[in-house]
Amino acid sequence: MKSIFSILLFCFIISFSKAQTVQVIVSDKKTSMRGLSVVNDKVIWVSGSKGSVGKSIDGGDTFTWMTVKGFEKTDFRDIEAFDAKNAIIMGIDTPAYILKTKDGGETWDVVYENKTTGMFLDAMEFWNEMSGIVIGDPIDNKIFIARTFDGGKTWRALPDKYFPVAEKGEACFASSGSNVAALNLQEAVFITGGTHSRMFIRDKKIELPIIQGKETTGANSVGVKHVKKKTTVIIVGGDFTTKDSTTKNCCITTDGGNTFTVPVIAPHGYRSCVEFLNGDNWVTCGINGVDYSKDNGATWTWISKDGFNVCRKAKKGKAVFFAGNGKIGKLVQ
């Protein structure tokens, strides 16, 4: 009996030791960070309020912080980095800006400016180093979309007739730069929230089983897993005024939105970002903590009560980082 007990205890300890946790590596910044791009296990870029951009080239051990000159009041809610030298940041509000650096953040060039009344950019996504997309809130009930095909040097809005039509009160949340994602090599998928919460794939507009009906409700983030011609899409959100509510805050589709399932155990509150990691593993975060799933979103485990706005896995690597209000975290596995 002692032998069996010892074996079971040993197995429990080993299993527990391999549980995922989040280590806070930065906690003293007076910046709201919602933009995060992890190039590899060493190079991490973040962006946020008051024109702030941060960069690490040593896996998060140290960060270099900069304020973009002339944009000290701009909220950079999304960032896309390609290496330690090249990155693109998105300034959300009217006028909306997209800037690019080629020298590691020492200088930034304005590559897109839009002074249209009501313009509010929400998120960027890149298929590769050349091809990207940016989406913005509806203007005259039409969701704004622009594309780049030269690595972000130039951006061109779609013709007005191709802008998707939004319902009254429907918009996008600029909460983590992740409400648009590459669905495959050709297509993007994006999601909306507010009084209506839907998923858009080209001409398809798909109602989501996510809480909706108020300005504070709806889908916030979409993550995509594409393996051997099978695509899994997980969408998270909720109501950011009720951070602990698990009501209709996550849904999953494996057939392009024809059908949806919901988790048996949902993420433990409002979630602003979701990210596919590997195998059947996903991570999601929000203002009351971080959840981890090992079964493609069917069940979620609350692994940290440190709140974050955004989570990202290294494009070329295994590292996973988080960013939020004044702090940066790292997934420990």
Side-chain angles (χ1 to χ4, degrees):
M1 290 295 293
K2 284 186 177 180
S3 177
I4 294 174
F5 178 77
S6 298
I7 292 171
L8 290 174
L9 180 61
F10 176 76
C11 290
F12 173 79
I13 291 171
I14 294 297
S15 176
F16 182 80
S17 68
K18 292 183 178 180
Q20 294 75 24
T21 60
V22 178
Q23 176 188 2
V24 176
I25 57 176
V26 173
S27 60
D28 59 349
K29 297 299 295 180
K30 296 181 180 179
T31 303
S32 173
M33 291 173 278
R34 296 183 182 272
L36 174 63
S37 186
V38 185
V39 178
N40 52 46
D41 291 345
K42 294 294 184 182
V43 179
I44 308 109
W45 291 73
V46 294
S47 64
S49 60
K50 300 178 182 178
S52 297
V53 175
K55 181 182 69 173
S56 174
I57 58 173
D58 56 11
D61 290 341
T62 61
F63 278 85
T64 299
W65 296 94
M66 58 203 85
T67 301
V68 181
K69 187 176 180 180
F71 293 86
E72 293 83 359
K73 296 182 179 180
T74 300
D75 194 351
F76 292 117
R77 296 238 185 142
D78 201 4
I79 185 167
E80 187 76 28
F82 305 107
D83 51 43
K85 294 292 185 181
N86 294 277
I88 299 169
I89 49 177
M90 181 196 79
I92 53 171
D93 215 347
T94 307
Y97 290 101
I98 300 175
L99 289 77
K100 181 170 183 174
T101 183
K102 297 180 289 185
D103 55 15
E106 292 186 20
T107 61
W108 295 85
D109 297 320
V110 176
V111 294
Y112 183 77
E113 178 183 14
N114 194 319
K115 296 182 178 179
T116 302
T117 301
M119 177 58 60
F120 192 102
L121 298 181
D122 294 293
M124 298 184 295
E125 173 74 333
F126 276 74
W127 283 264
N128 49 55
E129 292 192 5
M130 301 304 292
S131 180
I133 186 172
V134 64
I135 65 171
D137 275 354
I139 297 177
D140 295 328
N141 294 326
K142 293 182 178 180
I143 297 170
F144 177 82
I145 299 177
R147 292 293 311 272
T148 181
F149 297 96
D150 57 9
K153 294 178 183 177
T154 60
W155 295 79
R156 179 173 295 180
L158 298 185
D160 185 74
K161 64 181 179 179
Y162 294 123
F163 286 161
V165 176
E167 299 289 342
K168 184 179 180 181
E170 181 179 21
C172 302
F173 288 110
S175 52
S176 61
S178 63
N179 54 19
V180 59
L183 186 63
N184 50 47
L185 295 177
Q186 292 83 31
E187 299 286 351
V189 54
F190 71 89
I191 43 94
T192 59
T195 56
H196 295 267
S197 190
R198 297 187 289 176
M199 180 171 74
F200 290 71
I201 303 174
R202 195 177 281 270
D203 296 327
K204 294 173 64 178
K205 302 175 183 179
I206 304 161
E207 295 289 335
L208 293 173
I210 292 280
I211 188 171
Q212 52 196 285
K214 301 190 300 182
E215 290 183 357
T216 58
T217 60
N220 276 238
S221 178
V222 55
V224 176
K225 168 188 173 181
H226 190 68
V227 178
K228 295 181 179 180
K229 296 184 179 181
K230 182 177 180 180
T231 301
T232 300
V233 176
I234 296 183
I235 297 165
V236 299
D239 185 340
F240 63 77
T241 62
T242 56
K243 63 182 178 65
D244 298 319
S245 175
T246 61
T247 301
K248 294 184 178 181
N249 66 348
C250 179
C251 62
I252 306 148
T253 181
T254 57
D255 58 11
N258 291 320
T259 61
F260 287 90
T261 59
V262 297
V264 177
I265 300 176
H268 292 76
Y270 157 79
R271 293 292 178 258
S272 55
C273 192
V274 64
E275 182 83 332
F276 168 64
L277 302 182
N278 53 57
D280 295 334
N281 300 304
W282 295 69
V283 68
T284 184
C285 66
I287 50 181
N288 78 341
V290 177
D291 283 277
Y292 194 97
S293 175
K294 297 181 180 180
D295 53 13
N296 281 321
T299 60
W300 295 87
T301 301
W302 201 357
I303 65 169
S304 173
K305 293 187 179 181
D306 282 305
F308 296 95
N309 297 320
V310 57
C311 50
R312 289 295 192 189
K313 177 184 177 292
K315 300 174 188 177
K316 299 177 181 178
K318 298 180 179 179
V320 179
F321 287 88
F322 305 82
N325 294 327
K327 59 186 175 182
I328 297 172
K330 182 178 182 179
L331 184 68
V332 179
Q333 302 189 71

